Amino acid sequence: MWHYLLNKKWEADDVWMLIFYVFIASIFVTPLLGVPIGVIAFLILNEDVLDK
């Protein structure tokens, strides 16, 4: 997962969506858990990593 995130060609929209998912996840759980949950939500909802 980390290699995918590091090698991805990031665009501004991707970064803002990732920040948005982390922010929303941090509202419902502690910020410590909100960051990984937000990243996982970004990968599942925007990158379709489950289809690969």
Side-chain angles (χ1 to χ4, degrees):
M1 179 170 89
W2 294 113
H3 293 290
Y4 174 79
L5 292 174
L6 290 174
N7 293 330
K8 179 178 176 20
K9 302 295 183 196
W10 291 95
E11 297 179 5
D13 291 341
D14 295 333
V15 174
W16 284 114
M17 287 301 294
L18 180 61
I19 292 170
F20 176 72
Y21 284 132
V22 169
F23 178 75
I24 294 298
S26 295
I27 289 174
F28 295 107
V29 296
T30 65
L32 186 62
L33 294 175
V35 172
I37 291 172
V39 170
I40 291 169
F42 174 79
L43 291 174
I44 290 173
L45 297 175
N46 287 25
E47 300 296 315
D48 297 328
V49 293
L50 294 179
D51 295 336
K52 294 180 181 178

